[in-house]
Amino acid sequence: MSKKRRPAKKASASQSRMWAKTRRPLLKFVIAAMLGFALVMVYLDVKITATFTDKMWELPAKVYARPLELFVGANLSTEDFAYELDVLGYRKVTTVRAPGQLRRQGNTFELYTRGFAFPGEREPARRVQIVLGGDKVRSMNSGGSRVDLLRLDPVQIGGIYPSHGEDRILVRLEQVPDTLRQALLAVEDQNFYQHWGFSITGIVRAALSNFKSGSVVAGGSTITQQLVKNYYLTPERTYIRKLTELLMAILLDFHYSKEQILESYMNEVYLGQEGPRAIHGLGLASRHYFGTSLEQLGLHQQALLVGMIKGPSLYNPLRNPERARERRNLVLDVMVEQEVISSEHATVAKAMPLGLNKQTRIRDTFPAYLDLVRRQLRQEYREEDLTTLGLNIFTSFDPILQRKVERSASTVLEQLDKGGDLESATVVTRFDTGDVVALVGGRKVRYAGFNRAIDAKRPAGSLLKPAVYLAALEQPRRYSLATPLEDTALEIAEPDGGTWSPRNFDRQEHGKVLLHRALAQSYNLATARLGMDLGIDNVVDMLQRLGLEGDIPAVPALTLGAGAYSPLDMAVMYQSIAAGGFRMPLRSIRDIVDANGEPLRRYPLEYDRTVSLQAVHLLHYALREVVREGTGRGVYRYLNDDFAVAGKTGTTNDGRDSWFAGFSGDLLAVTWIGRDDNGGTGLTGSSGALKVWAHFMARASQRPLGYRMPDQVAPQWIDDSNGYLSAEGCPDARLMPFIKGSEPKRRTNCSPRSNGIKDWFQSLFSGDS
């Protein structure tokens, strides 16, 4: 018997030795796995704690238009006011009870303003009655008291989004209606306040579904897991990603309160798409789909938002209203089942329409202007700051003026070119401040792409001529408006051995002409001779003093517009001319504040006198003459004859570019028309761009160009045929301003006699303009 037992002992000992040999590497493996797991948990923990708070408040910059300021006597038509309220999303109701509501009866508007936190000041929400008439505000009253000044909340015209296009409006948990909060939990995570970030029953249910399908088709995710996935993970469906999601959810639940997690989820959840812009969070979704804040949502609207979370595209009420209605009603049933609401409340809510916002969507529909804003911002801010810090950008953009200039461009282009080959760009500023208030970058104003207002660099033609004449008028001992110029042929040798020989548009020579008429009629030969007499360097210097930057070719052809300039470049130049010789940087941004409303940067009015006031005053006379008697006289087919403006036409070789730049008493605009392929248009400045400019000014400008003669300037009567001093009533007599000491020395021998004729300039002294 003993002999038989010895082999068993040997076998047992052998097995023990084998187990001892395998136990050590297994133990090492277990220890390594535990260490690896611990390291993974440490890594995930650090990732969550280091970034969760930042992600929770990650916001794109929001770009706002100017606020509409109202006071008794303000110029405002009923149509324009109704449009402003429309783009602001004010909802028409029969009885005004809450912010964002409007009731209109003819010219009387009763509205409940939303209020707004402007930089340094908060405008309160209040109910106000506004009466308009005769294109003016007639009265404003609130609670029986007169309102002296009212600022409406500004229109948000866009945002500076990250590359993934996310946008949101942050809401605090206390701002969310209790029924909406409970509905969210009832549908998405009934045990949210009991679990540790994950649900065992949900995981088991999802595992069974995945086992049956043979792939990962269900997640069983809690709200915490959904938040982790949205913040940190990709949307791919794999077991590794699902495990990572589970671990991070546990860590998130450990570090942060349920309220913090729920609030973050409400601000993060994806709820649809508007073009390239992704709608995230209940706050923005409420504004997007219903045109109001979360606090104002009805029960039927709350249920619709909660129902959309399962499939924002599938249940999008704008595209699939019936499917969205069925999903909404299902959510209402769940709310009844979970005792969030009564069955009676659910029945009433089911009978309600979807209640969607049908107002005009204005946000992100002005890509050319937003492009201008972005370029200025990116000179001073990092892209990351613009897309995450929640900056509020307050601009000079005026929706009413933008609408008018778009309509003018569209109307004229349809008349000129129904085929759609012509393109157009316009820049509009308030010339007393340099604020860019409207901008059109192309014929298709709603499409982002090539921004012709900024990037279309073309020869400016006769738009540069005022700089030549201004350089001359700064030398009063040599030049005045009545100085005779030779409008005769000339040839100038070029460095390459060629010859530059300009011609007039009408192919004629006009002999001796007075300086003011040479500019008004845009004579090329007289201008080229004047520029050569001054010296090209002096012309370049003047253009730079007027604000032109970049490459300015110092060649003779510069006097007739050689070079490459955008409409924005020309707006800079004419801004300085309109402002009386003050160089004034154009502004698209007024203020920037952070997400907490603290001011970060102001852009105050800046100006620097770079040109003689007296010389600019004389140039204004000549630019008024352009539109009264010269190449721009077609302006008065659109404007009333007593509405004073000044401007200049521009045409380039073969009619490739049609330009017009000009200003009234409140607005300056530069318009270009041409083809992207640089082909001929068959248009001159007066037959193309002038029409857009004048059509716009006739509908937008509210103040004619005023007249105030500066010191050291006085009017004199001259003989317009030869430039000699004359007298009122003499043949060809014309009243014209002169810098003192620059008046003509020779005098006609005419005897004055009254003939009752009064020119447009003379009328400025009698108060007729």
Side-chain angles (χ1 to χ4, degrees):
M1 296 291 294
S2 60
K3 291 180 179 179
K4 293 181 179 179
R5 290 174 185 160
R6 286 176 185 170
K9 288 181 178 179
K10 289 181 178 179
S12 177
S14 176
Q15 289 175 353
S16 297
R17 286 195 297 271
M18 289 179 63
W19 168 245
K21 289 180 179 179
T22 58
R23 183 174 56 184
R24 290 178 182 175
L26 182 62
L27 182 61
K28 290 179 180 179
F29 174 78
V30 171
I31 293 173
M34 292 176 63
L35 286 174
F37 180 76
L39 289 174
V40 169
M41 291 297 286
V42 169
Y43 167 75
L44 295 178
D45 188 75
V46 170
K47 185 175 182 180
I48 285 175
T49 55
T51 61
F52 179 72
T53 303
D54 291 336
K55 283 182 173 293
M56 188 163 50
W57 308 119
E58 191 173 281
L59 290 170
K62 300 194 182 303
V63 183
Y64 293 95
R66 59 91 188 98
L68 182 62
E69 295 188 347
L70 303 175
F71 53 89
V72 175
N75 293 311
L76 183 66
S77 71
T78 303
E79 179 188 357
D80 288 343
F81 189 41
Y83 173 72
E84 182 90 13
L85 295 174
D86 185 42
V87 296
L88 278 168
Y90 276 76
R91 301 176 65 188
K92 294 179 181 178
V93 296
T94 54
T95 303
V96 174
R97 293 193 178 95
Q101 293 182 346
L102 159 71
R103 179 171 177 263
R104 177 184 175 184
Q105 287 184 308
N107 291 339
T108 300
F109 295 78
E110 182 184 356
L111 62 146
Y112 204 134
T113 65
R114 297 192 183 100
F116 194 83
F118 291 99
E121 181 182 1
R122 180 167 187 87
E123 181 78 23
R126 51 181 162 173
R127 184 180 296 166
V128 61
Q129 185 184 73
I130 302 169
V131 179
L132 280 70
D135 291 344
K136 290 185 179 295
V137 177
R138 295 302 179 186
S139 66
M140 294 197 304
N141 296 282
S142 178
S145 301
R146 171 176 169 156
V147 176
D148 293 322
L149 178 65
L150 175 68
R151 284 196 296 176
L152 297 182
D153 51 310
V155 177
Q156 186 187 336
I157 60 173
I160 312 296
Y161 310 122
S163 57
H164 46 68
E166 292 182 10
D167 190 15
R168 57 179 55 79
I169 295 175
L170 284 183
V171 294
R172 300 290 187 182
L173 204 55
E174 57 267 21
Q175 296 175 276
V176 181
D178 190 55
T179 49
L180 176 54
R181 176 175 171 171
Q182 292 185 58
L184 179 64
L185 295 177
V187 173
E188 292 295 320
D189 195 348
Q190 294 178 11
N191 298 316
F192 175 74
Y193 282 100
Q194 284 75 48
H195 60 60
W196 293 352
F198 68 97
S199 168
I200 295 294
T201 57
I203 292 174
V204 170
R205 186 170 58 249
L208 290 174
S209 298
N210 295 337
F211 177 76
K212 290 178 182 178
S213 67
S215 61
V216 182
V217 295
S221 296
T222 63
I223 280 178
T224 312
Q225 288 174 272
Q226 291 181 50
L227 184 60
V228 165
K229 181 178 67 175
N230 291 341
Y231 268 3
Y232 302 105
L233 304 175
T234 63
E236 64 179 342
R237 292 179 178 271
T238 65
Y239 288 107
I240 294 297
R241 190 203 63 76
K242 194 64 185 175
L243 178 61
T244 305
E245 174 191 299
L246 178 65
L247 296 176
M248 294 183 79
I250 295 172
L251 292 170
L252 192 66
D253 192 82
F254 175 77
H255 283 293
Y256 299 97
S257 70
K258 293 290 187 180
E259 284 70 26
Q260 283 179 299
I261 293 171
L262 184 58
E263 184 176 87
S264 296
Y265 178 80
M266 288 179 169
N267 285 309
E268 174 62 24
V269 61
Y270 172 68
L271 285 163
Q273 199 80 20
E274 184 186 32
R277 174 168 162 262
I279 309 299
H280 282 259
L282 297 176
L284 180 58
S286 177
R287 286 285 185 190
H288 176 71
Y289 291 109
F290 307 115
T292 189
S293 63
L294 275 179
E295 298 96 319
Q296 303 298 321
L297 291 184
L299 183 59
H300 61 297
Q301 295 167 317
Q302 296 174 22
L304 180 58
L305 281 187
V306 172
M308 288 180 62
I309 294 174
K310 183 179 180 181
S313 178
L314 185 65
Y315 300 113
N316 187 319
L318 298 172
R319 294 200 298 265
N320 305 309
E322 287 307 315
R323 192 179 293 160
R325 188 189 304 275
E326 292 175 5
R327 177 65 181 166
R328 179 197 70 177
N329 293 344
L330 179 61
V331 170
L332 290 168
D333 289 338
V334 174
M335 293 172 73
V336 172
E337 179 185 321
Q338 296 295 314
E339 299 182 351
V340 176
I341 59 174
S342 67
S343 58
E344 290 79 10
H345 285 142
T347 301
V348 173
K350 288 179 180 180
M352 297 289 287
L354 293 178
L356 299 176
N357 173 30
K358 298 187 187 305
Q359 303 294 333
T360 302
R361 285 191 176 86
I362 193 170
R363 192 179 300 179
D364 296 315
T365 56
F366 306 109
Y369 193 92
L370 288 172
D371 183 30
L372 178 64
V373 172
R374 289 188 186 99
R375 294 188 194 209
Q376 181 174 344
L377 286 171
R378 285 169 179 156
Q379 292 176 2
E380 303 169 25
Y381 292 88
R382 298 181 306 162
E383 184 71 19
E384 179 184 355
D385 296 337
L386 295 175
T387 58
T388 62
L389 297 184
L391 302 181
N392 291 311
I393 317 295
F394 295 92
T395 74
S396 307
F397 181 79
D398 189 316
I400 293 174
L401 291 177
Q402 179 72 23
R403 183 192 192 205
K404 292 179 186 295
V405 73
E406 286 178 1
R407 285 183 166 184
S408 294
S410 176
T411 298
V412 173
L413 285 179
E414 281 300 308
Q415 294 171 354
L416 297 175
D417 173 42
K418 293 183 184 285
D421 293 329
L422 289 182
E423 286 290 348
S424 179
T426 299
V427 179
V428 183
T429 75
R430 295 196 184 279
F431 82 75
D432 55 344
T433 62
D435 288 332
V436 180
V437 294
L439 187 143
V440 172
R443 189 162 186 163
K444 295 180 179 179
V445 295
R446 297 291 172 263
Y447 290 89
F450 185 55
N451 191 343
R452 295 163 187 83
I454 302 175
D455 296 323
K457 302 285 188 175
R458 300 295 190 95
S462 298
L463 248 59
L464 291 193
K465 286 179 180 176
V468 179
Y469 288 84
L470 188 54
L473 293 170
E474 272 199 324
Q475 302 179 34
R477 292 186 178 182
R478 296 180 62 193
Y479 299 100
S480 73
L481 291 172
T483 299
L485 302 177
E486 292 292 334
D487 187 64
T488 55
L490 74 162
E491 291 185 354
I492 299 173
E494 295 179 322
D496 61 1
T499 301
W500 183 62
S501 52
R503 294 184 298 177
N504 282 327
F505 181 77
D506 62 3
R507 303 293 192 267
Q508 302 294 317
E509 297 178 24
H510 303 96
K512 189 170 291 188
V513 296
L514 301 191
L515 184 145
H516 74 93
R517 178 163 288 111
L519 178 56
Q521 299 298 333
S522 203
Y523 291 152
N524 290 339
L525 298 177
T527 304
R529 285 187 175 277
L530 177 61
M532 297 308 297
D533 190 33
L534 291 166
I536 297 303
D537 289 344
N538 283 330
V539 176
V540 172
D541 174 67
M542 176 56 69
L543 289 169
Q544 292 172 335
R545 284 193 281 148
L546 290 174
L548 281 191
E549 299 177 348
D551 182 37
I552 301 175
V555 297
L558 176 66
T559 59
L560 304 185
Y565 315 94
S566 69
L568 189 66
D569 293 331
M570 290 295 95
V572 169
M573 171 181 159
Y574 276 82
Q575 180 76 33
S576 300
I577 292 173
F582 285 102
R583 182 172 176 176
M584 193 178 298
L586 299 186
R587 300 185 302 175
S588 61
I589 302 173
R590 291 180 175 178
D591 295 278
I592 300 178
V593 301
D594 65 17
N596 298 316
E598 294 297 322
L600 289 180
R601 176 75 188 272
R602 295 208 67 188
Y603 293 83
L605 176 64
E606 297 179 2
Y607 54 88
D608 179 33
R609 175 167 293 287
T610 57
V611 184
S612 158
L613 172 62
Q614 289 74 21
V616 174
H617 180 80
L618 302 187
L619 181 64
H620 279 200
Y621 171 94
L623 294 178
R624 285 173 182 255
E625 185 183 343
V626 169
V627 297
R628 290 291 180 181
E629 307 171 32
T631 58
R633 57 187 177 276
V635 160
Y636 284 100
R637 297 193 189 102
Y638 298 85
L639 297 175
N640 292 331
D641 191 61
D642 59 352
F643 196 89
V645 296
K648 185 70 186 75
T649 56
T651 309
T652 61
N653 291 342
D654 302 321
R656 292 190 178 95
D657 304 281
S658 170
W659 291 90
F660 192 88
F663 47 94
S664 63
D666 55 353
L667 298 176
L668 178 147
V670 175
T671 295
W672 166 87
I673 293 178
R675 297 182 188 275
D676 285 342
D677 62 4
N678 204 29
T681 65
L683 299 172
T684 64
S686 58
S687 65
L690 177 148
K691 293 182 177 181
V692 175
W693 186 93
H695 189 281
F696 166 70
M697 281 291 186
R699 289 155 180 79
S701 181
Q702 298 172 342
R703 191 167 66 245
L705 187 59
Y707 186 80
R708 182 178 178 183
M709 189 170 290
D711 293 339
Q712 301 303 311
V713 174
Q716 299 287 344
W717 288 97
I718 67 158
D719 186 325
D720 202 27
S721 65
N722 53 30
Y724 298 169
L725 284 175
S726 185
E728 184 177 7
C730 289
D732 298 318
R734 184 187 191 105
L735 193 62
M736 189 176 294
F738 290 86
I739 297 174
K740 291 182 178 179
S742 69
E743 303 89 348
K745 300 298 184 281
R746 302 181 64 176
R747 180 181 294 275
T748 64
N749 55 7
C750 162
S751 300
R753 57 185 180 277
S754 178
N755 59 10
I757 297 176
K758 182 168 63 175
D759 69 14
W760 57 266
F761 185 69
Q762 186 182 2
S763 69
L764 298 179
F765 297 92
S766 59
D768 294 341
S769 178

